[in-house]
Amino acid sequence: MYKAIIIGGSAGSFQVVARILNALNSDFPVPVLLILHRLKHVRSGFVEALSIKSSIPVREPDDKDYIRPGFAWLAPSNYHLFVELGNRFALSTEPQVNHSRPSIDLSFFSAAKAYRQDLAGIILSGANRDGAGGLKMVGDMGGTTIVQDPNECQVPVMPLESMKITKVQHVYNTEQIIRFFKKIQGNAQI
Amino acid sequence: MEREVSDSDFRLFVKTVRQYSKYDFSDYSDKSLKRMVGKVIADKKTDINRLVRDISNYSDYLESIINKVTVNTTELFRDPSVWKFLRKKVLPGLKTWSTINIWHAGCSTGQEVYSMLILLNEAGLFDRARVIATDINSEVLKVARSGKYRYRFNKGYLENFDLVVGRSRDKSTGAANVPYSRYLDVDEERDIISIKPFLLEKPVFKKHDLVAGEVSYPGKFDLIICRNVVIYFNHSLQNRIFEMFCNNLHPGGILVIGSHETIASPVSDRFIRTGHAYKKPGIF
């Protein structure tokens, strides 16, 4: 049973994330962490736009919030998001990493260390290298690694970079990613 | 890329720093600091054993390492909506006060100190303000005092200025917009944004470690601004700091924290929250 699922995405990932969140049951049993690159000042509309499609509430965590299931936790723009000891989030305004804040790598590193084999990491469409190192770490710590099928991605660079540096366990299109979530939902009900 | 140090190396670093200086990182939130320590070790091409040996032998080396691991970024009018809120909802309430005592706690390179001074000037409160701005990091304070920032990397400052101040009617001239040139000089060639001298003269920048407690100041504060600083502390240290802020505010004084920070109970009971501002209840 997973303790968290963490998703990293950039250009071309919004629709995919929206479809995944839309397909979940409202009692989805595992916290979903969303680390998405977005424009710094387009802040307000993003949560609302995702919420409209999502079956579970989308929240930007405050610093030291508990990481609870039942929510999609979206990394606030212009902050890095970490998973801390004690199952809490921590935010930081350290300099950008790979021109990104939030940095997908940093969030994936901290989640991988906190949850180890109980984490699934998913890298979606995107135009840069952020997230590749993070996904590798998820795999190295015993977690499940998934990338969106590059053939389906609007911008395939992020999944391809991930596949270059680590042996990704699953290459899924959006439908298959949704099936992965449904299976978690189903397992929880047994 | 991933440079976080191990738990045991991190504990050794914290212990050594505590032993050989007045700094105590024991109650810091570990994620960021672990990464920063890892980064220092990589940048200096050293290892944890040499690092702790050197910081225990040379106090100025220790100080330089502290400056490296406590650097964080800030912007002019970071989160424009917060500054709009301060301008419209908080500053009008200060107009009846003869002096406005302001503490920027953890001011880093000073951008928010100058943001506040710009708002105070627009509100006609500049002359009444007394401003102290503190940080643990002596290097960022040098930048803060200089009021000079890179231009190309920080073009967003001007956009933020427009969102918060620029797009409103200029009270002094009646013009439709407030020009940023009143407060900032932009030198594109030399890649510098400079804060105007009359703003630079106002704040007293001072080295101070929040973890060590109160800052020395004659009297209490009317406004404490501490944004995106306590995110580096663990939950219990956060509570202690918020409590200390409350004790250092006048009744009716206001604490402003980061847009993704919250004050947890029971300390939150000592404030009345409106938007991004936490007010210490007044006497009446």
Side-chain angles (χ1 to χ4, degrees):
Chain A
M1 176 73 178
Y2 291 109
K3 287 193 178 136
I5 299 170
I6 188 164
I7 300 177
S10 191
S13 67
F14 182 88
Q15 289 305 331
V16 183
V17 173
R19 277 180 64 197
I20 294 168
L21 295 182
N22 185 256
L24 300 181
N25 286 2
S26 61
D27 59 348
F28 188 74
V30 178
V32 179
L33 279 51
L34 303 172
I35 319 299
L36 307 176
H37 296 157
R38 46 186 172 140
L39 293 173
K40 208 156 94 180
H41 297 304
V42 186
R43 184 159 314 187
S44 40
F46 200 91
V47 178
E48 288 77 2
L50 264 188
S51 296
I52 291 169
K53 321 250 175 165
S54 178
S55 314
I56 55 175
V58 180
R59 274 224 188 133
E60 291 184 317
D62 282 343
D63 181 60
K64 305 297 177 306
D65 269 354
Y66 281 110
I67 304 169
R68 286 179 291 150
F71 296 93
W73 298 99
L74 174 68
S77 85
N78 217 4
Y79 288 91
H80 295 301
L81 180 72
F82 299 107
V83 173
E84 277 261 327
L85 301 167
N87 204 35
R88 290 179 192 263
F89 287 112
L91 298 172
S92 107
T93 61
E94 285 163 61
Q96 299 185 340
V97 176
N98 291 333
H99 308 288
S100 305
R101 190 171 54 208
S103 148
I104 298 171
D105 277 341
L106 291 193
S107 297
F108 273 53
F109 290 149
S110 74
K113 287 191 174 160
Y115 299 120
R116 306 172 82 87
Q117 72 279 2
D118 301 324
L119 178 73
I122 306 175
I123 292 292
L124 303 176
S125 173
N128 56 51
R129 198 181 289 169
D130 190 19
L135 194 69
K136 179 176 189 306
M137 179 69 79
V138 172
D140 290 351
M141 300 300 280
T144 303
T145 54
I146 299 169
V147 293
Q148 186 185 1
D149 187 343
N151 295 316
E152 189 203 52
C153 288
Q154 271 185 38
V155 190
V157 179
M158 273 184 21
L160 288 173
E161 288 292 329
S162 304
M163 293 163 80
K164 247 188 234 170
I165 63 163
T166 187
K167 198 169 162 12
V168 173
Q169 292 159 19
H170 307 288
V171 180
Y172 284 165
N173 63 29
T174 308
E175 274 312 313
Q176 290 169 310
I177 295 173
I178 288 171
R179 240 176 280 151
F180 174 79
F181 277 83
K182 296 257 185 207
K183 213 173 133 199
I184 293 169
Q185 175 90 39
N187 287 346
Q189 280 165 350
I190 295 165
Chain B
M1 165 78 248
E2 164 59 358
R3 290 165 165 163
E4 198 177 282
V5 291
S6 71
D7 286 340
S8 57
D9 288 357
F10 181 66
R11 278 195 298 272
L12 177 62
F13 173 80
V14 171
K15 192 178 139 206
T16 311
V17 169
R18 196 173 53 213
Q19 199 174 343
Y20 290 94
S21 75
K22 53 194 185 303
Y23 303 113
D24 187 354
F25 291 119
S26 318
D27 286 326
Y28 270 55
S29 195
D30 67 333
K31 272 296 160 205
S32 290
L33 196 56
K34 267 187 188 163
R35 252 178 47 72
M36 296 307 257
V37 174
K39 190 167 181 300
V40 163
I41 288 174
D43 290 351
K44 300 215 172 262
K45 300 193 173 59
T46 183
D47 57 54
I48 187 70
N49 295 315
R50 274 161 62 200
L51 181 71
V52 296
R53 188 194 66 206
D54 291 346
I55 59 179
S56 53
N57 281 332
Y58 308 104
S59 63
D60 49 348
Y61 185 73
L62 187 147
E63 196 66 32
S64 77
I65 297 298
I66 298 305
N67 283 343
K68 291 241 167 0
V69 299
T70 57
V71 178
N72 293 294
T73 66
T74 172
E75 297 160 32
L76 209 63
F77 298 111
R78 184 190 161 102
D79 304 327
S81 63
V82 173
W83 292 93
K84 274 193 239 175
F85 170 84
L86 291 175
R87 182 176 191 196
K88 296 201 170 118
K89 303 285 178 195
V90 174
L91 290 194
L94 308 182
K95 285 199 167 146
T96 52
W97 298 355
S98 54
T99 356
I100 305 166
N101 301 282
I102 302 172
W103 177 17
H104 289 267
C107 66
S108 188
T109 39
Q111 285 88 329
E112 296 205 339
V113 179
Y114 298 118
S115 305
M116 181 54 82
L117 285 173
I118 291 171
L119 292 194
L120 288 163
N121 194 58
E122 287 296 314
L125 300 170
F126 186 83
D127 292 338
R128 279 188 254 166
R130 296 206 311 210
V131 182
I132 178 167
T134 60
D135 203 280
I136 188 176
N137 186 316
S138 55
E139 286 300 317
V140 298
L141 287 173
K142 282 186 201 161
V143 179
R145 284 189 196 102
S146 79
K148 289 195 183 351
Y149 309 107
R150 300 282 300 279
Y151 168 65
R152 272 189 290 279
F153 192 62
N154 295 311
K155 282 181 184 167
Y157 289 8
L158 303 184
E159 294 161 29
N160 288 355
F161 176 89
D162 275 344
L163 286 170
V164 179
V165 181
R167 285 182 198 159
S168 38
R169 184 162 292 280
D170 188 339
K171 281 180 196 140
S172 53
T173 64
N177 295 297
V178 179
Y180 69 76
S181 56
R182 179 175 299 162
Y183 300 108
L184 315 166
D185 289 316
V186 175
D187 185 336
E188 292 194 29
E189 209 145 284
R190 291 168 58 220
D191 191 23
I192 296 174
I193 296 178
S194 326
I195 305 289
K196 291 267 191 191
F198 82 101
L199 295 179
L200 294 181
E201 284 165 11
K202 189 75 162 185
V204 175
F205 288 100
K206 196 172 159 182
K207 185 171 155 65
H208 170 256
D209 178 8
L210 265 183
V211 177
E214 306 179 358
V215 66
S216 84
Y217 186 81
K220 299 202 173 200
F221 295 97
D222 302 297
L223 198 52
I224 297 177
I225 291 123
C226 182
R227 288 168 31 81
N228 302 314
V229 176
V230 303
I231 51 178
Y232 299 102
F233 303 157
N234 72 20
H235 196 245
S236 70
L237 178 57
Q238 288 189 350
N239 279 332
R240 241 168 65 209
I241 300 287
F242 288 141
E243 191 135 41
M244 184 264 284
F245 285 152
C246 191
N247 295 337
N248 282 273
L249 280 170
H250 284 129
I254 286 164
L255 169 65
V256 182
I257 62 177
S259 33
H260 285 281
E261 295 171 318
T262 41
I263 301 179
S265 176
V267 186
S268 57
D269 300 340
R270 299 185 59 191
F271 292 97
I272 300 162
R273 184 182 176 177
T274 325
H276 307 284
Y278 289 77
K279 186 175 190 162
K280 180 173 177 171
I283 300 161
F284 302 107

